[in-house]
Amino acid sequence: MNPDTDNQANAQASSQEKFATPDNTPQLQAFREVVESRRSVRRFTDTPIPDDVLADCLRLAMLAPNSSNLQPWEFYVIDDADKRKRAVKNCMNQNAAKTAARLIAVVARTDVWHDHAKQILREYPDKPVPKKVKDYYTKVVAMDFLRGPANVVSAAKWGATQVVRRVKGPIKSPYYTFEDTKNWATNNTALAAENLMLALRAHGFDSCPMGGFDEPAMKRLLNLSDDQHIIMMIGAGERADNGVYNSQFRFDQKQFVHYV
């Protein structure tokens, strides 16, 4: 047996034993119960989600990790009866949308990084704002996102990045194109969406993330701009007895986890 592999296995076993002791279980067990009981629920009961519960779930959603704390997300809770009816149609009349107590559009924004960088400096909790924080949000963040007319700034950034990489070593690639910025916003917003679904489960409710919807029609309904991108629709509510369609299973962990 490879001694390195053997040591790794022993370390993992020791870690599992540590977290299996009674003194360490409450938070871990609660977290496991939330994650393991979360399912994509397709049918909900008529039980409403109280406004204060939904507000807390959204608060927890926005505690998700995100790049430079720029928070490029929005949540549209569709409560208006007419808009709700049209939104369900835009969701292809899926049961998860039709029966949901609340229907939420999770939106990533590509146009707020500059305003949010300035807002961070205004609302930064430590006063006076440290110089390195000011420099980061006024210089580093700006250079990361700026593209310029006809992407002229992006071309200059690309050249400079290649030079630094060859001379000094590893460097994070800035965002060269609109698609780069969209991917950045989408990735960060998806983290918040997962927090939202887990928060709903912790409150005793369930959810279904839906990718099957007409985004152009939904954007018109919500009056969204070209810089606002609906990454998913979430139906939320209390799980009906027939709300889960299939047994849960995942492929073996060894297929996806690689120790290098």
Side-chain angles (χ1 to χ4, degrees), residues 12-253:
Q12 291 172 340
S14 175
S15 176
Q16 290 171 353
E17 289 174 3
K18 175 183 177 182
F19 285 107
T21 58
D23 290 341
N24 293 314
T25 55
Q27 286 184 316
L28 178 59
Q29 288 303 323
F31 179 71
R32 279 180 173 157
E33 288 173 11
V34 167
V35 173
E36 291 175 353
S37 66
R38 187 217 59 81
R39 298 296 308 276
S40 292
V41 172
R42 313 291 178 172
R43 293 179 184 273
F44 300 97
T45 71
D46 294 332
T47 301
I49 299 177
D51 287 343
D52 61 335
V53 169
L54 182 60
D56 187 55
C57 291
L58 291 166
R59 180 187 68 84
L60 292 170
M62 291 184 284
L63 290 178
N66 65 100
S67 176
S68 299
N69 201 28
L70 290 171
Q71 305 170 59
W73 48 53
E74 289 181 324
F75 303 86
Y76 286 78
V77 183
I78 306 173
D79 284 341
D80 178 81
D82 179 62
K83 288 184 178 178
R84 171 63 185 264
K85 181 179 179 180
R86 293 159 63 191
V88 169
K89 182 179 179 181
N90 291 341
C91 287
M92 317 303 174
N93 290 307
Q94 295 179 62
N95 287 325
K98 284 195 297 186
T99 65
R102 309 303 277 264
L103 189 58
I104 305 165
V106 182
V107 176
R109 296 199 63 155
T110 54
D111 61 339
V112 295
W113 63 267
H114 187 256
D115 288 341
H116 284 190
K118 292 192 292 185
Q119 184 176 350
I120 285 171
L121 294 179
R122 290 197 306 270
E123 300 181 10
Y124 201 75
D126 300 328
K127 304 294 184 183
V129 179
K131 182 180 183 301
K132 64 180 181 180
V133 174
K134 288 183 180 179
D135 289 344
Y136 181 79
Y137 284 103
T138 58
K139 299 176 182 179
V140 177
V141 168
M143 187 53 62
D144 219 13
F145 286 94
L146 284 176
R147 299 195 302 274
N151 277 345
V152 63
V153 176
S154 292
K157 286 196 298 186
W158 185 88
T161 300
Q162 304 315 306
V163 171
V164 171
R165 188 167 282 138
R166 287 196 300 268
V167 175
K168 292 187 175 181
I171 180 176
K172 173 192 173 294
S173 293
Y175 305 112
Y176 301 119
T177 67
F178 172 77
E179 286 302 316
D180 290 341
T181 305
K182 183 178 178 180
N183 288 339
W184 164 83
T186 298
N187 291 343
N188 282 275
T189 302
L191 294 172
E194 177 69 3
N195 264 28
L196 174 58
M197 290 183 283
L198 292 178
L200 284 162
R201 186 69 203 115
H203 272 284
F205 292 96
D206 282 287
S207 62
C208 182
M210 292 172 280
F213 61 92
D214 187 329
E215 185 181 16
M218 197 73 77
K219 289 180 71 169
R220 288 193 297 271
L221 175 63
L222 300 177
N223 196 29
L224 303 184
S225 72
D226 290 340
D227 293 303
Q228 295 169 283
H229 313 276
I230 306 174
I231 68 165
M232 69 181 74
M233 299 294 299
I234 293 181
E238 181 185 63
R239 184 182 308 192
D241 291 338
N242 61 345
V244 177
Y245 287 178
N246 303 295
S247 299
Q248 185 182 58
F249 79 101
R250 292 293 187 269
F251 300 136
D252 191 276
Q253 183 173 323

